[in-house]
Amino acid sequence: NAGVTQTPKFQVLKTGQSMTLQCAQDMNHNSMYWYRQDPGMGLRLIYYSASEGTTDKGEVPNGYNVSRLNKREFSLRLESAAPSQTSVYFCASRYTSGWGVDTQYFGPGTRLTVL
Amino acid sequence: GQQLNQSPQSMFIQEGEDVSMNCTSSSIFNTWLWYKQDPGEGPVLLIALYKAGELTSNGRLTAQFGITRKDSFLNISASIPSDVGIYFCAGQGGANSKLTFGKGITLSVRP
């Protein structure tokens, strides 16, 4: 049981290049999230997927696209990377039960630098 | 939108001391979560609180869900060097709502 995994762990891009950040969870959770973390800004939600087949914008979606490939996998794509997208990206999955338990688990992060 | 306030941004304590952090909001939450983030890692869930007034412990950590449902605190007792990291609070308004995060408190522990 690996929890939430992310690849790659580090990436350097040039402005204008594209790439896809991969995320997978093996906990059978319905909801998955992508955040970015910048100094002094905390965690900001980029996109989320409440269930397989659905995606919605979060607080800072511009410049990103997502795909919920199946229940396990939720990818984040940068079509044309910009220096402002230099950040640490975290994927998370959420577990809710019928009796009030509601928790969210994070992956280890992808550290992206755009030159 | 909803906001969670955590302050100060940084705290410096001596090894062995207790430390308390709180998290406040102008909105009501149904769930409070406390996370710790080690340098270079993702946030790890420490404690989850689901009921107003609930007090929950996890080793040297104790957290409480405020009676008004607008605040929560985390206490670390007898701090050790590995307690260093960023501590985030997060609140959820309900089953279909997203997590709202505080900006985190960076804790430093002097040996």
Side-chain angles (χ1 to χ4, degrees):
Chain A
N1 189 336
V4 181
T5 57
Q6 291 182 238
T7 56
K9 197 163 176 66
F10 300 94
Q11 184 71 50
V12 178
L13 292 177
K14 293 182 180 176
T15 297
Q17 286 185 315
S18 62
M19 80 159 295
T20 300
L21 281 64
Q22 307 287 352
C23 174
Q25 52 95 5
D26 61 2
M27 297 175 283
N28 203 36
H29 293 170
N30 285 324
S31 302
M32 297 184 73
Y33 302 80
W34 276 104
Y35 295 87
R36 61 178 288 173
Q37 185 179 35
D38 302 291
M41 304 293 289
L43 287 158
R44 293 184 293 170
L45 182 65
I46 305 170
Y47 269 94
Y48 67 101
S49 171
S51 61
E52 186 179 352
T54 69
T55 60
D56 284 287
K57 294 178 181 179
E59 184 185 352
V60 288
N62 291 345
Y64 305 96
N65 283 301
V66 290
S67 295
R68 183 74 183 267
L69 304 169
N70 47 55
K71 193 170 187 179
R72 289 188 66 248
E73 298 171 289
F74 188 38
S75 62
L76 178 72
R77 182 157 179 86
L78 286 71
E79 289 292 349
S80 179
S84 61
Q85 293 178 304
T86 294
S87 187
V88 182
Y89 291 85
F90 290 103
C91 178
S93 71
R94 178 178 179 183
Y95 168 70
T96 55
S97 75
W99 53 91
V101 173
D102 195 344
T103 54
Q104 193 161 304
Y105 300 92
F106 286 84
T110 294
R111 282 139 191 87
L112 176 67
T113 301
V114 183
L115 303 174
Chain B
Q2 296 174 323
Q3 286 189 327
L4 290 182
N5 300 306
Q6 287 187 267
S7 64
Q9 197 170 5
S10 303
M11 300 181 78
F12 299 86
I13 61 172
Q14 200 73 34
E15 183 177 357
E17 288 183 340
D18 299 347
V19 62
S20 189
M21 312 176 186
N22 73 328
C23 187
T24 61
S25 172
S26 58
S27 304
I28 288 173
F29 289 102
N30 293 332
T31 298
W32 287 92
L33 306 174
W34 283 92
Y35 290 87
K36 182 194 176 200
Q37 185 177 22
D38 290 327
E41 303 292 332
V44 173
L45 183 65
L46 296 174
I47 292 180
L49 303 159
Y50 301 110
K51 193 174 171 183
E54 179 181 356
L55 186 71
T56 297
S57 292
N58 178 5
R60 294 178 296 105
L61 277 60
T62 302
Q64 184 158 30
F65 191 143
I67 289 289
T68 64
R69 294 165 63 196
K70 292 182 178 182
D71 62 352
S72 176
F73 80 77
L74 175 72
N75 187 72
I76 304 172
S77 62
S79 60
I80 58 178
S82 62
D83 290 334
V84 164
I86 305 174
Y87 291 81
F88 291 97
C89 62
Q92 268 169 188
N96 296 320
S97 65
K98 299 178 288 297
L99 267 184
T100 299
F101 283 90
K103 293 192 175 177
I105 293 176
T106 300
L107 179 67
S108 300
V109 180
R110 290 187 289 259

